[in-house]
C-alpha cells in the first residue's frame, strides 16, 4: 500500500481489492477520512468511485444525490473506530449469510 494511503489500512477489502463500503455510516466515515487527509470533496468522490465497492443505496444516497458535498472534516471519527464499526457490520453480515 502506498504510504499516502496508510490511513486506510484498517478498512476491509473484497476479493477485487476494493474497499467495502456497503452502508452510509461507512461511506461517511471513509469520506471524512479522505477529507482529513487532504482530499478535496470531488477528489474523494472520484477516489471512492475507483477504489470502493459500494451498495446501490450508498451510491444513490451519497454520490448520485450529492450528499457527500455536505460532509466535513469536523465530524471525522478516528480511523480505528470507523474500521472497527465496519468490521462489526461485516462480521454481522457474514454470520447472517451463514444462516441461509
Amino acid at each position: 500500500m502506498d504510504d499516502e494511503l496508510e490511513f486506510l489500512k484498517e478498512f476491509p477489502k473484497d476479493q477485487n481489492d476494493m474497499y467495502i463500503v456497503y452502508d452510509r455510516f461507512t461511506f461517511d466515515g471513509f469520506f471524512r477520512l479522505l477529507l482529513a487527509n487532504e482530499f478535496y470533496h470531488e477528489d474523494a468522490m472520484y477516489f471512492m468511485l475507483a477504489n470502493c465497492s459500494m451498495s446501490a443505496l450508498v451510491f444513490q444516497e451519497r454520490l448520485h444525490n450529492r450528499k457527500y458535498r455536505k460532509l466535513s472534516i469536523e465530524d471525522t471519527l478516528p480511523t480505528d473506530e470507523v474500521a472497527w464499526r465496519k468490521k462489526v457490520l461485516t462480521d454481522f453480515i457474514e454470520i447472517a449469510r451463514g444462516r441461509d
Side-chain angles (χ1 to χ4, degrees):
M1 173 178 287
D2 294 338
D3 289 338
E4 297 173 356
L5 300 177
E6 186 68 22
F7 64 95
L8 296 175
K9 70 180 180 185
E10 299 296 324
F11 279 89
K13 291 185 172 185
D14 65 11
Q15 66 275 12
N16 297 315
D17 203 34
M18 304 282 279
Y19 295 103
I20 300 170
V21 182
Y22 295 155
D23 62 275
R24 290 172 285 181
F25 175 81
T26 301
F27 179 93
D28 292 356
F30 195 100
F31 196 88
R32 287 178 177 129
L33 284 173
L34 292 174
L35 293 177
N37 284 274
E38 301 182 7
F39 280 74
Y40 294 105
H41 279 76
E42 296 302 313
D43 295 332
M45 186 261 308
Y46 288 126
F47 178 88
M48 291 188 75
L49 282 173
N51 296 289
C52 295
S53 175
M54 290 181 259
S55 67
L57 177 68
V58 166
F59 184 86
Q60 179 182 4
E61 287 195 5
R62 292 302 189 258
L63 295 177
H64 180 73
N65 293 342
R66 300 177 189 226
K67 289 188 178 178
Y68 68 90
R69 292 180 176 182
K70 295 180 181 177
L71 297 174
S72 68
I73 298 171
E74 288 76 34
D75 300 327
T76 304
L77 292 173
T79 305
D80 58 338
E81 185 172 342
V82 174
W84 175 81
R85 289 181 183 201
K86 177 61 187 155
K87 180 164 178 15
V88 169
L89 181 63
T90 303
D91 290 349
F92 178 75
I93 290 169
E94 291 301 317
I95 290 168
R97 284 183 183 159
R99 292 183 183 164
D100 292 342

